[in-house]
């Protein structure tokens, strides 16, 4: 597997259990030779079977007989499609079969399989009943990767839409024809088309910068020799993993949707391929834990963990930068700093609100979760744009040469983010402050 010759899957989901893995039923019977026999059915398994590699190795969550109920009784097993010989070559077929292939909205190149295990031979990975912790070693990395899938689709959606908007001729600019030599102006002249392009661009650049910050922390967590740096990086990664997963995939889908809109009817039909971005982007908001569950992880686990210590590296970075830039002279930068101060204030107040109300009533924390995650993500992106703008101004002042256009565009994209996107932070705060009342008031029978 490490050399890439055999591929792998992760088999968690069953028909009756997705988010709530405590309900899972696949069982594992211990054998005299130390191996196990696994029996059960999994669904929705990505790349569950194919002939691209000689073997497919399934990492399967199952219950050993007499295990405690719920997630505390789940163990992790390695179950190959073909049992390997002692020399590592592929041997006999194991008791693993494909019961069906899911028919999906997108992601057509991956066979998403229903898989049956019938007395399949497997081996325990890690300790008995500690399968969730073992699986989460992989899941945490996967969540960041899925976030980056959202970013990837965001970027290609943006690039495609820009190319189209420069070519497609419709209508005339409101400020007078820009291309009188042509039958009409390219649609990139229209403010509403600009709104879509700038939104996609700001999402892509903002998420890429925040993603880089997290990637550097992941490296520091793994490789730093300084225990303090390592700890801070670990705390930051823990906090940001659900944010990267949910925010990047939400915005990736929004960007794909905007790309379809930029193309008009030509986006909705298949010819140009942009409708595929929207279909493919949708799953990233669901798998590896739905985005709603990421938000619950943020408010329910990551915030309260270690008495709120996970927040410190992030909050310190933002407040240090705001302090550093408090006296900036430039008018545009001053406005960026002001916007960030307001949004950071909204995040701090929201954090306090959730800590107070959520302690007394967990439903209050649940009701705030999705808005809070978005708010934290927007502040994270705002921090990155503010820092990038500061650097861009400094580079321009010292003479940026061939990179002048790049730095100017960075400042203008940041400007769009601060004018048009970051103000949403205030709305998030107001929604959080309103609490669970309006969500929970309607009687179930009235739905
Ligand atoms: C294309 C595809 C590929 C996949 N690949 C894999 C794979 O390789 N391996 C694998 O094991 N699984 C895989 N999955 C499964 C995926 O991880 C699950 O679909 C996902 O975790 C959600 O589970 P569910 O579909 O059962 O939804 P449910 O758990 O039934 O959730 C339904 C809704 O209720 C919400 N919800 C559920 N519980 C709570 C709660 N406690 N609080 C608040 N809201 C809640 C959810 O957010 C969601 O909106 C894949 C799914 C798809 C569609």
């Amino acid at each position: 597997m490490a050399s890439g010759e055999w591929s792998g899957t992760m088999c968690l989901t069953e028909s009756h259990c997705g988010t709530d893995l405590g309900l899972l039923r696949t069982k594992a019977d211990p054998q005299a030779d130390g191996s196990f026999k696994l029996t059960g059915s999994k669904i929705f398994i990505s790349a569950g079977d194919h002939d691209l590699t000689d073997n497919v190795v399934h990492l399967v969550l199952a219950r050993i007989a007499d295990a405690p109920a719920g997630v505390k009784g789940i163990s992790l097993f390695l179950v190959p499609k073909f049992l390997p010989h002692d020399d590592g070559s592929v041997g006999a077929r194991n008791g693993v079969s494909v019961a069906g292939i899911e028919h999906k909205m997108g992601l057509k190149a991956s066979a998403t399989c229903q898989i049956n295990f019938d007395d399949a031979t497997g081996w325990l990975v890690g300790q008995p009943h500690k399968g969730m912790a073992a699986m989460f070693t992989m899941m945490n990395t996967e969540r960041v990767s899925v976030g980056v899938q959202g970013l990837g689709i965001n970027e290609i959606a943006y690039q495609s839409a820009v190319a189209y908007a420069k070519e497609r001729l419709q209508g005339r600019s409101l400020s007078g024809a820009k291309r009188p030599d042509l039958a009409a102006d390219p649609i990139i002249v229209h403010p509403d088309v600009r709104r879509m392009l700038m939104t996609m661009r700001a999402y892509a650049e903002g998420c890429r910068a925040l993603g880089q910050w997290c990637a550097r922390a992941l490296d520091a967590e793994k490789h730093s020799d300084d225990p303090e740096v390592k700890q801070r990086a670990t705390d930051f990664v823990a906090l940001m993993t659900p944010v990267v997963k949910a925010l990047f995939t939400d915005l990736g889908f929004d960007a794909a949707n905007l790309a379809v809109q930029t193309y008009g009817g030509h986006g909705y039909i298949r010819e140009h391929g942009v409708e595929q971005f929207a279909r493919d982007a949708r799953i990233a908001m669901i798998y590896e834990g739905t985005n709603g569950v990421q938000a619950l992880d943020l408010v329910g686990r990551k915030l309260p963990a270690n008495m709120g210590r996970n927040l410190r590296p992030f909050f310190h970075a933002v407040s240090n930068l705001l302090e550093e830039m408090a006296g900036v002279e430039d008018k545009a930068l001053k406005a960026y700093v002001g916007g960030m101060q307001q949004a950071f204030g909204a995040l701090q107040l929201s954090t306090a609100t959730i800590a107070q109300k959520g302690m007394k009533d967990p439903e209050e924390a649940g009701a705030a979760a999705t808005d809070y995650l978005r708010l934290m993500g927007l502040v994270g992106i705002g921090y990155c744009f503010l820092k990038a703008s500061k650097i861009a101004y400094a580079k321009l002042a010292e003479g940026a040469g061939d990179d002048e256009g790049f730095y100017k565009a960075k400042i203008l994209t940041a400007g769009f983010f601060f004018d048009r996107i970051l103000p949403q932070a205030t709305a998030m705060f107001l929604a959080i402050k309103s609490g669970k009342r309006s969500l929970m008031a309607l009687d179930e029978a009235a739905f």
Side-chain angles (χ1 to χ4, degrees):
M1 284 183 84
S3 66
E5 287 160 79
W6 292 355
S7 67
T9 74
M10 37 201 292
C11 296
L12 295 79
T13 308
E14 298 177 8
S15 57
H16 57 281
C17 82
T19 302
D20 190 356
L21 289 169
L23 300 173
L24 81 78
R25 293 186 195 138
T26 298
K27 40 175 203 137
D29 290 327
Q31 304 295 300
D33 64 357
S35 68
F36 288 79
K37 291 279 187 200
L38 276 86
T39 303
S41 295
K42 299 284 178 181
I43 61 164
F44 298 172
I45 305 307
S46 294
D49 200 19
H50 50 79
D51 52 12
L52 296 170
T53 54
D54 293 338
N55 207 353
V56 180
V57 183
H58 304 283
L59 283 159
V60 186
L61 289 183
R63 255 176 224 295
I64 301 172
D66 302 328
V71 285
K72 293 205 168 101
I74 296 174
S75 307
L76 180 62
F77 298 88
L78 191 146
V79 186
K81 174 178 165 186
F82 295 105
L83 293 164
H85 293 302
D86 286 345
D87 65 0
S89 60
V90 167
R93 181 90 201 214
N94 200 0
V96 182
S97 56
V98 174
I101 295 180
E102 314 289 359
H103 301 284
K104 310 189 294 280
M105 174 179 178
L107 219 69
K108 307 279 193 192
S110 164
T112 307
C113 300
Q114 300 154 18
I115 296 191
N116 286 347
F117 296 92
D118 297 297
D119 269 342
T121 299
W123 292 272
L124 183 70
V125 180
Q127 301 296 311
H129 316 317
K130 302 279 186 216
M132 288 299 283
M135 194 57 119
F136 264 86
T137 314
M138 178 159 70
M139 295 276 283
N140 278 330
T141 318
E142 282 291 305
R143 286 181 171 175
V144 175
S145 308
V146 170
V148 176
Q149 273 179 23
L151 169 58
I153 289 188
N154 188 338
E155 181 63 36
I156 194 170
Y158 168 67
Q159 288 187 22
S160 307
V162 167
Y164 190 76
K166 284 181 174 175
E167 274 175 13
R168 176 71 175 167
L169 307 178
Q170 290 293 296
R172 285 292 180 199
S173 163
L174 295 170
S175 57
K178 294 290 175 292
R179 292 293 307 270
D181 54 317
L182 300 175
D185 283 334
I187 59 172
I188 197 166
V189 303
H190 303 308
D192 194 59
V193 172
R194 289 297 190 112
R195 171 187 62 78
M196 297 191 276
L197 298 179
M198 288 305 291
T199 302
M200 288 184 256
R201 182 185 174 104
Y203 285 169
E205 287 192 19
C207 290
R208 192 175 304 110
L210 183 57
Q212 287 289 341
W213 188 8
C214 294
R216 286 182 58 163
L218 276 164
D219 283 353
E221 183 183 21
K222 222 171 181 176
H223 302 295
S224 174
D225 297 327
D226 181 337
E228 224 174 275
V229 171
K230 227 177 161 83
Q231 186 61 57
R232 270 206 307 275
T234 304
D235 295 345
F236 181 71
V237 168
L239 183 79
M240 279 296 159
T241 296
V243 177
V244 165
K245 196 282 181 179
L247 180 78
F248 289 18
T249 58
D250 278 352
L251 299 187
F253 180 71
D254 287 353
N257 201 23
L258 286 171
V260 172
Q261 196 67 17
T262 307
Y263 278 74
H266 297 272
Y268 190 74
I269 63 161
R270 291 221 162 152
E271 187 186 349
H272 291 277
V274 278
E275 53 83 40
Q276 188 193 331
F277 302 149
R279 289 187 291 103
D280 285 350
R282 192 62 187 80
I283 185 58
M285 299 155 77
I286 297 170
Y287 62 15
E288 293 300 335
T290 62
N291 285 0
V293 168
Q294 303 302 318
L296 288 179
D297 177 46
L298 178 66
V299 299
R301 291 203 195 95
K302 302 301 173 54
L303 284 191
N306 308 313
M307 310 281 288
R309 195 185 67 202
N310 289 342
L311 273 176
R312 264 180 242 155
F314 179 51
F315 276 21
H316 284 174
V318 177
S319 55
N320 288 346
L321 183 65
L322 286 174
E323 213 169 284
E324 226 176 88
M325 296 183 69
V328 285
E329 300 284 319
D330 182 272
K331 221 170 130 195
L333 260 187
K334 223 186 179 88
Y336 296 1
V337 172
M340 259 308 278
Q341 278 164 337
Q342 203 169 348
F344 187 44
L347 179 61
Q348 287 171 307
L349 281 174
S350 301
T351 308
T353 306
I354 291 173
Q356 279 163 11
K357 283 194 189 172
M359 194 95 84
K360 285 189 218 124
D361 178 358
E363 272 190 354
E364 286 287 356
T370 290
D371 287 316
Y372 183 75
L373 185 146
R374 175 63 67 103
L375 172 54
M376 182 173 281
L378 291 181
V379 171
I381 290 179
Y383 167 86
C384 294
F385 268 130
L386 191 58
K387 202 168 170 182
S389 305
K390 183 173 171 248
I391 294 167
Y393 269 95
K395 293 281 182 191
L396 288 172
E398 70 194 31
D402 290 347
D403 292 333
E404 193 180 312
F406 170 81
Y407 289 118
K408 282 187 171 161
K410 184 64 71 184
I411 290 166
L412 292 174
T413 307
F416 174 83
F417 178 82
F418 288 115
D419 278 355
R420 293 267 177 160
I421 299 178
L422 193 62
Q424 292 165 13
T426 307
M428 304 283 149
F429 166 62
L430 293 175
I432 291 166
K433 203 170 113 206
S434 76
K436 72 170 190 179
R437 189 173 31 87
S438 55
L439 290 180
M440 305 308 275
L442 192 65
D443 196 75
E444 198 177 310
F447 277 92

